[in-house]
Amino acid sequence: MLDLAIIGGGPAGLTAGMYATRGGLKKVNMYEKGMPGGQITKSSEIENYPGISKVVTGMELMESWPEQCMKFGLKHEMKEVTKVSANSDGTFKIFIAGSEEVDSKSVIICTGSNPRRAGFEGEDKFFGKGVSTCATCDGFFYKGKEVAVLGGGDTALEEASYLSNICSKVYLIHRRDTFRASPATVKRIENTKNIELVLNSKIQKVYGNELGVEGVITIDKDGKERDLKVPGIFVFVGMNVNNNVIKQNDGSFLCDVNESGEILVDLSMKTSKAGLFAAGDIRVKAPKQVVCAAGDGATAGIGAISYVDSLGD
Ligand SMILES: Cc1cc2nc3c(=O)[nH]c(=O)nc-3n(C[C@H](O)[C@H](O)[C@H](O)COP(=O)(O)OP(=O)(O)OC[C@H]3O[C@@H](n4cnc5c(N)ncnc54)[C@H](O)[C@@H]3O)c2cc1C
């Protein structure tokens, strides 16, 4: 029986493991299907992690984390978890691909999320080289330049607004002529001088060279093309949260989630199920930043120690 099983080995999972083991839990396994580090390892630049003052790649940022986080006894199992379910005695069963099963007194879900791709030509080729899904992460690299934003929901409009404070101009491309975002946000966008709405339009392709994006071709509902010469395009067409592991055989979830499938937690990262915690991008209202995921992981790790202690021997 494990004291704690951590599912996912990104910034949240690694930090949760470090806090839990350094704080005294003995049997702690972190299940990460790949190499530890998480989605930030796919980023070519990060400059907003406190304490790291130069711009580094995501891989460079995460390089030293596994060694530090595992030196207090955290064990990395390079395995994919298929399901977590509740045993009748209040403990949990971790189902691992390949039919292995492990019991644990507590669990922290840190499986993260993935921004949805829009599917236009050049999106994958230029991802990280001008195509981005995070204005907070990458907006600053386009300071004083023109950029484009794709999407019509609250996130797209909030991010367009954020970018309008940094960039000289923002083209907001949306396939309809009305937005799904809240009316107050729409009004704010319409009143922002350096945001131009490109409505009833979708992106046909993004083009560029080996250094990155040089422009975006849009096409409207009448088939009219437009060439926007921007070095950056921000895509906000939704997120897929990796919550499959808490899905039960009857389709229900092991704990409460919201309509987007994000796990509901309190300020201690506790879910609605005793002994089950969630941290990082998978949880509701996550700012989706490395520093925040790490902070969540620390909070959840501390919470797991208290929970396991409260069970006694
Ligand atoms: C291109 C890009 C650029 C970014 N730039 C920045 C930036 O500049 N600054 C910033 O602060 N943030 C940035 N982010 C966001 C940041 O990467 C995330 O907020 C952060 O990584 C979230 O950490 P996490 O631990 O919650 O999840 P993740 O990093 O997504 O880690 C989740 C881990 O769980 C594993 N996993 C999932 N399901 C299973 C399973 N069933 N079994 C086993 N393992 C599983 C995955 O393999 C993954 O390693 C960027 C993200 C991307 C994609």
Side-chain angles (χ1 to χ4, degrees):
M1 170 79 70
L2 296 173
D3 287 327
L4 170 63
I6 297 167
I7 323 298
L14 282 163
T15 311
M18 177 170 73
Y19 271 73
T21 48
R22 192 168 179 270
L25 290 189
K26 296 277 177 267
K27 292 182 196 157
V28 184
N29 280 8
M30 180 185 77
Y31 295 93
E32 165 55 59
K33 59 186 173 185
M35 294 303 289
Q39 56 176 292
I40 191 63
T41 56
K42 295 184 190 128
S43 171
S44 55
E45 285 169 316
I46 169 162
E47 64 173 359
N48 60 359
Y49 194 81
I52 309 290
S53 55
K54 58 178 186 166
V55 182
V56 291
T57 65
M59 198 67 97
E60 285 166 341
L61 176 76
M62 298 311 293
E63 207 176 359
S64 60
W65 287 45
E67 190 191 339
Q68 182 189 13
C69 294
M70 287 187 219
K71 76 176 178 195
F72 305 103
L74 173 66
K75 192 173 161 209
H76 170 213
E77 296 267 4
M78 201 193 276
K79 292 173 180 170
E80 179 169 4
V81 170
T82 52
K83 190 175 71 175
V84 178
S85 65
N87 294 321
S88 54
D89 62 356
T91 62
F92 298 90
K93 195 167 291 296
I94 318 298
F95 294 85
I96 295 157
S99 72
E100 191 187 338
E101 294 175 12
V102 180
D103 288 322
S104 183
K105 293 178 186 170
S106 63
V107 176
I108 306 178
I109 308 288
C110 305
T111 44
S113 66
N114 297 309
R116 241 174 252 151
R117 299 284 167 104
F120 52 79
E121 189 185 328
E123 186 178 23
D124 289 340
K125 183 176 170 194
F126 290 106
F127 195 80
K129 286 184 178 174
V131 176
S132 170
T133 49
C134 180
T136 319
C137 313
D138 298 331
F140 193 73
F141 299 120
Y142 303 96
K143 192 168 190 257
K145 296 178 181 164
E146 296 193 352
V147 294
V149 167
L150 177 70
D154 276 301
T155 307
L157 270 62
E158 290 294 347
E159 300 285 59
S161 176
Y162 176 89
L163 288 165
S164 71
N165 293 321
I166 301 170
C167 304
S168 59
K169 180 164 183 171
V170 178
Y171 296 95
L172 179 57
I173 305 162
H174 180 42
R175 64 196 159 124
R176 302 210 170 87
D177 59 359
T178 51
F179 291 102
R180 277 175 286 114
S182 68
T185 310
V186 175
K187 207 170 189 62
R188 180 153 47 93
I189 290 293
E190 286 170 347
N191 290 336
T192 305
K193 283 200 176 66
N194 64 340
I195 296 182
E196 179 182 332
L197 304 183
V198 184
L199 301 178
N200 291 315
S201 299
K202 53 187 184 179
I203 294 182
Q204 200 167 42
K205 74 167 181 182
V206 163
Y207 62 90
N209 58 28
E210 61 286 348
L211 295 175
V213 166
E214 291 179 307
V216 175
I217 308 281
T218 63
I219 182 159
D220 71 12
K221 63 178 182 4
D222 302 319
K224 197 169 154 226
E225 289 186 6
R226 203 169 155 194
D227 184 357
L228 306 174
K229 303 232 178 282
V230 292
I233 160 80
F234 292 81
V235 180
F236 303 109
V237 292
M239 297 293 292
N240 293 322
V241 280
N242 302 324
N243 61 16
N244 275 342
V245 292
I246 57 160
K247 250 186 216 152
Q248 307 302 292
N249 293 346
D250 63 2
S252 66
F253 288 97
L254 181 57
C255 61
D256 292 345
V257 300
N258 68 8
E259 64 286 351
S260 308
E262 297 160 337
I263 299 179
L264 301 183
V265 289
D266 66 10
L267 288 176
S268 305
M269 302 302 138
K270 286 180 188 158
T271 70
S272 57
K273 180 98 190 149
L276 182 71
F277 300 78
D281 280 14
I282 184 77
R283 60 108 164 151
V284 66
K285 292 200 169 156
K288 298 194 168 62
Q289 293 289 287
V290 174
V291 66
C292 305
D296 282 3
T299 305
I302 292 167
I305 298 170
S306 303
Y307 177 77
V308 173
D309 282 352
S310 74
L311 299 176
D313 289 327

